[in-house]
């Protein structure tokens, strides 16, 4: 498997992949034009995508990350995450945030790369999504917010 990761224009980000991580097409279409996108290609074809938005100088949010189900659990998501973390570190970012409604393996996925929980946004998914989002038989209700501080105070 030949894997390469590069920044791509938002127009090149496959919507079908983005919808795996965020089922609201209207939300994806709203943040995508202002996002920076990073694509993981396997033998030239996009197998993973990550979108990052900037909220304030130095403060960024990883708003979407997804790997094609045919390619999941082969390390592509981790390689993509590390690439994005390293890109923002090199560029002098202060903080990279992420939110997740799933508290199983996605939580370990972020924690393993240095993200720490800083907030629970209760009922986030009930307030912000018309449709119920169910994963592994569990309905997403609360959003766990995590952050990677590049210059931690301790
Ligand atoms: C989250 C996601 C991007 C991870 O991509 P990936 O290429 O499968 O990730 P990796 O192969 O690098 O695996 C990362 C870790 O998650 C674990 N993992 C991945 N998918 C898993 C699954 N379905 N069940 C259990 N563990 C899983 C892996 O075992 C690995 O753990 P390890 O580091 O201890 O070996 C991918 O599962 C995905 O696209 N999910 C759907 C979209 C989504 O929900 N995105 C937002 C997540 S908050």
């Amino acid at each position: 498997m030949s894997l390469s990761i590069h920044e791509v224009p938002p127009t090149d980000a496959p919507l079908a992949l983005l919808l795996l991580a965020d089922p609201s097409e209207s939300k994806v279409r709203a943040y995508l034009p202002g996002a920076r996108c990073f694509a993981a290609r396997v033998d030239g074809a996009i197998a993973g995508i990550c979108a990052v938005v900037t909220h304030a100088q130095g403060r960024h949010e990883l708003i979407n990350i997804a790997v094609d189900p045919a390619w999941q659990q082969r390390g592509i998501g981790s390689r993509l995450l590390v690439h994005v973390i390293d890109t923002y570190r090199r560029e002098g970012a202060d903080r990279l945030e992420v939110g997740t409604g799933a508290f199983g393996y996605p939580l370990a996925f972020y924690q393993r790369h240095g993200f720490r929980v800083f907030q629970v946004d209760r009922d986030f998914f009930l307030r912000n999504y018309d449709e119920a989002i169910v994963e592994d038989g569990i309905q997403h209700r609360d959003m766990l917010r995590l952050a990677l501080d590049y210059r931690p105070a301790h």
Side-chain angles (χ1 to χ4, degrees):
M1 167 174 98
S2 147
L3 182 73
S4 63
I5 301 176
H6 296 287
E7 184 165 358
V8 296
T11 44
D12 285 5
L15 186 62
L17 279 188
L18 295 163
L19 291 174
L20 289 176
D22 185 345
S24 167
E25 184 170 338
S26 60
K27 285 188 173 50
V28 171
R29 287 193 187 282
Y31 62 66
L32 193 57
R36 284 177 75 185
C37 295
F38 301 85
R41 285 193 168 84
V42 177
D43 300 329
I46 294 182
I49 193 77
C50 180
V52 181
V53 295
T54 295
H55 292 303
Q57 187 64 33
R59 185 177 147 243
H60 312 275
E61 179 175 355
L62 191 162
I63 200 147
N64 194 306
I65 184 165
V67 170
D68 184 326
W71 288 101
Q72 286 179 10
Q73 297 202 63
R74 300 191 205 193
I76 295 174
S78 299
R79 293 268 300 272
L80 188 53
L81 182 62
V82 167
H83 180 95
V84 169
I85 289 171
D86 288 348
T87 298
Y88 280 84
R89 177 184 287 114
R90 259 198 326 273
E91 293 177 0
D94 294 319
R95 185 172 162 100
L96 185 60
E97 297 181 4
V98 68
T100 176
F103 300 175
Y105 79 87
L107 184 52
F109 176 66
Y110 296 121
Q111 285 180 307
R112 192 165 286 123
H113 292 96
F115 286 81
R116 294 180 61 177
V117 175
F118 70 92
Q119 189 181 57
V120 180
D121 193 343
R122 281 179 70 86
D123 292 332
F124 174 89
F125 291 97
L126 305 184
R127 278 186 276 109
N128 290 282
Y129 287 80
D130 295 333
E131 306 282 317
I133 304 173
V134 180
E135 241 180 76
D136 293 332
I138 301 168
Q139 184 180 353
H140 289 200
R141 299 172 61 95
D142 311 314
M143 177 183 270
L144 200 56
R145 298 200 53 81
L146 298 99
L148 176 69
D149 285 307
Y150 288 104
R151 286 181 270 272
H154 53 272

